[in-house]
Amino acid sequence: MNAEILKDTFGRQHTYLRISLTELCNLRCTYCMPADGIQLSPRSHIMNFDEIYDIAKLFVSHGVSKIRLTGGEPLVRKDVEIILRKLATLPVALSMTTNAVIIDRYIQVLKECGILNLNVSLDSLDSEKFKILTRRDNFEKVFHNIHLLIKEGFSIKLNVVLIKGVNDDEIVDFINLTRDIDINVRFIEFMPFDGNAWNKQKLVSYSDIMAIVEEAYGIERVDRIKDAPNDTSKNYKIKEHKGSFAIISSVTNPFCDSCNRIRLTANGRIKNCLFSATESDLLTPLRDGQDLRPIIQKVMQSKFKVRGGMDTLEKLETPNLHEKNRSMITIGG
Ligand code: SAM
Ligand code: SF4
């Protein structure tokens, strides 16, 4: 195994591949999907299941030990079961990020493929607010499915993107879910992407969140707990609670030093960073029978030290910099 091609110029070894299976989604989250929708790639430009497997296998043979499937919504892909079963034959930890709207149909397959760790997105515990945030009326279904997953023994991280004036009044309600249930609620700072109307005023920062938590529970009840290696989140626990909570502060406290992630979009492009404005096509050369390794190595060599080159908050706030990037729906989170 030659892991060198997945090392960047800052010595970061990349062992974690996130594969977006589709640009399609059954929700329309305002912070992710632009109001006017997106220009979808032609169907023939989307990787088929063999191509996904071939590219994944190549990465695994160069040191990738963890693959997360994402989207769009990965489960809306008709052939998702085939993809899961093929990827499950690789020697990797497989996981998925999902909105859980239709996950009840896939419980058995997920178990058979050893996908027991899931990140589930839910931004509000209020069905009306959920409808506004996702532009769809699916709260009951998602909430029911989250409980079903817990009952079936899945380990759940709940992703909550916080937007000021929209759902920041629910921080304590979300943490209260961890009192009796062993889940990890992860508050994610709202990030700027093409078409998501981001501005700094909408940001609920790491320090804003901690101030609310300490006010609600008292500082002595809030324990800082150990983060997993290469973890993007800072983890905490309210003393007597079964579960925990975390903050992903990509905007105010980027965690790029320990970054080990590479992203593959549904149309077969590799991105060396979530915030990167550039990407390289792997699908066309794969279809042409070319060796992908020099392309991958070049992409890794061009990775910036911090956030695709937007190393300050000022740069992140400069619209023409982050608007050169894709919408989140076509990157995959
Ligand atoms: N559809 C699946 C879901 O919602 O979990 C997977 C794809 S979604 C793009 C992956 C993750 O990105 C979700 O947890 C979502 O909340 C997060 N996300 C999307 N747009 C974001 C943004 N602008 N800022 C922060 N997180 C975002
Ligand atoms: Fe779909 Fe997930 Fe984006 Fe929401 S966050 S629109 S569920 S891809």
Side-chain angles (χ1 to χ4, degrees):
M1 180 186 77
N2 173 10
E4 265 317 289
I5 69 164
L6 296 182
K7 195 186 261 183
D8 70 9
T9 55
F10 304 96
R12 293 174 295 197
Q13 187 68 49
H14 292 74
T15 55
Y16 182 1
L17 177 66
R18 299 170 84 113
I19 307 178
S20 172
L21 297 186
T22 176
E23 297 170 353
L24 304 174
C25 191
N26 42 8
L27 298 183
R28 291 280 177 279
C29 303
T30 52
Y31 53 76
C32 176
M33 172 74 100
D36 302 334
I38 53 156
Q39 177 84 43
L40 292 171
S41 301
R43 223 180 154 153
S44 62
H45 292 199
I46 298 293
M47 296 182 291
N48 67 33
F49 55 75
D50 284 324
E51 291 161 344
I52 292 172
Y53 175 76
D54 288 346
I55 296 178
K57 191 169 161 213
L58 179 67
F59 276 98
V60 172
S61 72
H62 288 84
V64 161
S65 56
K66 182 171 172 186
I67 293 180
R68 173 173 299 282
L69 303 175
T70 175
E73 172 49 37
L75 295 174
V76 302
R77 220 180 128 134
K78 295 275 179 294
D79 58 358
V80 68
E81 182 171 342
I82 303 174
I83 297 169
L84 296 181
R85 291 197 189 280
K86 280 177 86 77
L87 293 179
T89 63
L90 294 172
V92 278
L94 254 191
S95 55
M96 183 185 284
T97 302
T98 171
N99 61 32
V101 175
I102 55 170
I103 203 161
D104 47 316
R105 301 180 201 163
Y106 292 98
I107 301 270
Q108 195 51 33
V109 183
L110 290 167
K111 283 186 181 174
E112 284 168 19
C113 293
I115 305 178
L116 298 172
N117 296 315
L118 295 168
N119 288 5
V120 176
S121 302
L122 176 69
D123 306 306
S124 178
L125 297 168
D126 174 296
S127 61
E128 281 308 306
K129 218 186 272 182
F130 179 97
K131 211 193 295 182
I132 294 166
L133 271 162
T134 65
R135 306 185 183 111
R136 292 289 183 275
D137 192 6
N138 284 119
F139 174 78
E140 312 299 338
K141 186 83 189 122
V142 171
F143 203 60
H144 170 269
N145 279 347
I146 290 171
H147 283 95
L148 178 66
L149 289 167
I150 293 165
K151 191 171 123 243
E152 293 287 338
F154 288 84
S155 167
I156 304 296
K157 289 183 175 164
L158 209 62
N159 284 354
V160 184
V161 177
L162 289 175
I163 303 176
K164 192 158 267 168
V166 178
N167 59 352
D168 50 339
D169 58 340
E170 295 192 61
I171 292 173
V172 173
D173 294 338
F174 271 108
I175 295 180
N176 282 342
L177 283 180
T178 70
R179 188 169 45 214
D180 301 316
I181 314 174
D182 186 9
I183 51 168
N184 180 241
V185 172
R186 309 194 314 163
F187 298 113
I188 306 179
E189 286 181 349
F190 179 31
M191 296 182 274
F193 292 99
D194 190 29
N196 77 354
W198 184 88
N199 70 53
K200 211 167 87 183
Q201 279 67 45
K202 295 183 186 168
L203 180 73
V204 185
S205 69
Y206 184 5
S207 57
D208 295 337
I209 300 167
M210 287 314 291
I212 291 171
V213 174
E214 286 170 7
E215 164 83 24
Y217 296 96
I219 196 161
E220 63 293 341
R221 285 175 68 203
V222 185
D223 284 343
R224 176 81 166 90
I225 57 173
K226 204 165 183 291
D227 306 324
N230 301 104
D231 205 344
T232 53
S233 54
K234 312 272 187 306
N235 285 269
Y236 294 85
K237 191 175 188 319
I238 303 300
K239 269 198 172 41
E240 65 282 9
H241 286 199
K242 281 195 181 147
S244 54
F245 70 95
I247 299 169
I248 302 186
S249 54
S250 336
V251 176
T252 63
N253 273 286
F255 29 76
C256 306
D257 282 353
S258 60
C259 183
N260 63 347
R261 288 140 197 255
I262 319 153
R263 294 179 154 80
L264 181 65
T265 63
N267 64 348
R269 303 197 170 213
I270 176 179
K271 281 177 79 76
N272 62 20
C273 172
L274 185 56
F275 290 99
S276 157
T278 55
E279 47 191 40
S280 294
D281 184 13
L282 292 185
L283 186 55
T284 312
L286 177 80
R287 288 179 179 175
D288 290 345
Q290 290 176 33
D291 184 357
L292 302 184
R293 287 172 300 182
I295 306 170
I296 295 171
Q297 183 156 30
K298 196 164 163 219
V299 170
M300 296 322 300
Q301 292 295 307
S302 66
K303 179 159 172 156
F304 281 94
K305 191 167 192 298
V306 175
R307 257 183 339 219
M310 292 182 283
D311 48 3
T312 61
L313 194 53
E314 289 66 41
K315 286 189 193 164
L316 199 63
E317 279 181 79
T318 310
N320 69 337
L321 288 180
H322 58 75
E323 282 170 9
K324 283 194 204 133
N325 195 359
R326 292 163 167 249
S327 304
M328 183 62 135
I329 183 105
T330 65
I331 307 175

